[in-house]
Every structure is written in C-alpha cells, then in structure tokens.
C-alpha cells in the first residue's frame, strides 16, 4: 500500500500521464464536464471533498506553471481565488463562458464536491527541471 500521495488509483494513474503544457480542470460539482475529456469524479456529497482539499493535494503532486480562473470568481468566491493565488501565484482571468469552452481541451477534469460558486481552476502543467 502507498504510504503517501494520491491513493485514488484512477486519479494517480491519470496524474502520472500528464506532460508539459497539459491542462487539468479542477471543478466544483456544478461545472459542466465536457464530452470526451477524461473525468475523475471525486464528489461524494455536496461539499465533500472540498475544492481546497483537492487543490492542495494536486499542488503537492503536480508542477504547475500557470493557472486560469473565471473573471467572475474574485467577486463571487474570493476564498477560492485566494487559495489558487497562495498555491500557484496570480491566475489569469477569462470570462466564465470562455472558461467553460477551454475546459473542452483539458487533458483531465477532476470534479470535486465543492458547492460554492466559481470554485474552478485550470492548471497548466510545467516540468520539474
């Protein structure tokens, strides 16, 4: 048995396949999942697991070179935006409708149980060297 890191076998496998510039969407339970994008659905019930918990784990697992959020997020969910900033630096901002369009080109979509508005981020993978 693994001692640490992601224990969810499907998520661990998906993370191990990511490369430089691949994108990962971490979405709340209401963000539409685009057809054709591999989805790891972690949602158990509304609020579990929280966006913050999932994002912290992914921050420990991935090299992230950039992030993108919806421009509506800072006024609707400052806590989620502050978390993204604290983990990865200043995120790029685009309108929510464009954010949803960009989700369709993601390599991976991770659905959380988060039930607060705009608790969503696109992570662009970097390299550790």
């Amino acid at each position: 048995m693994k001692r640490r890191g992601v224990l969810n076998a499907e998520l661990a496998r998906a993370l191990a396949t990511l490369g430089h510039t691949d994108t990962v969407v971490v979405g709340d339970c209401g963000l539409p999942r685009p057809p054709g994008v591999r989805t790891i659905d972690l949602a158990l019930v509304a609020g579990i697991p929280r966006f913050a918990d999932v994002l912290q784990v992914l921050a420990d697992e991935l090299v992230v070179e950039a992030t993108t959020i919806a421009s509506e997020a800072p006024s609707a969910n400052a806590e989620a935006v502050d978390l993204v900033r604290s983990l990865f630096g200043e995120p790029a901002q685009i309108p929510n409708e464009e954010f949803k369009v960009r989700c369709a080109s993601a390599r991976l979509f991770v659905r959380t149980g988060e039930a607060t508005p705009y608790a969503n981020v696109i992570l662009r993978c970097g390299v550790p060297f």
Side-chain angles (χ1 to χ4, degrees), residues 21-25 34-35 37 100-108 122:
T21 74
D22 283 343
T23 57
V24 177
V25 176
V37 175
K100 289 189 243 181
V101 169
R102 284 209 195 163
C103 289
S105 64
R107 179 86 184 273
L108 177 64
I122 299 172

Side-chain angles (χ1 to χ4, degrees), residues 15 24 33 44 51 65 81 97-99 101 110-111 120:
L15 295 176
V24 177
R33 286 158 319 281
L44 183 59
F51 175 75
E65 66 181 17
V81 175
E97 289 307 310
E98 185 179 339
F99 183 94
V101 169
V110 180
R111 181 177 184 241
N120 308 302

Side-chain angles (χ1 to χ4, degrees), residues 55-126:
L55 202 58
Q56 181 63 59
V57 167
L58 293 179
D60 292 341
E61 293 279 328
L62 297 174
V63 176
V64 175
E65 66 181 17
T67 59
T68 303
I69 61 170
S71 54
E72 296 85 348
S75 61
N77 194 339
E79 184 178 337
V81 175
D82 289 344
L83 176 63
V84 170
R85 247 187 224 116
S86 72
L87 293 172
F88 307 109
E90 193 62 35
Q93 297 183 30
I94 57 176
N96 191 49
E97 289 307 310
E98 185 179 339
F99 183 94
K100 289 189 243 181
V101 169
R102 284 209 195 163
C103 289
S105 64
R107 179 86 184 273
L108 177 64
F109 188 107
V110 180
R111 181 177 184 241
T112 71
E114 186 64 49
T116 62
Y118 298 101
N120 308 302
V121 64
I122 299 172
L123 310 174
R124 188 173 71 219
C125 295

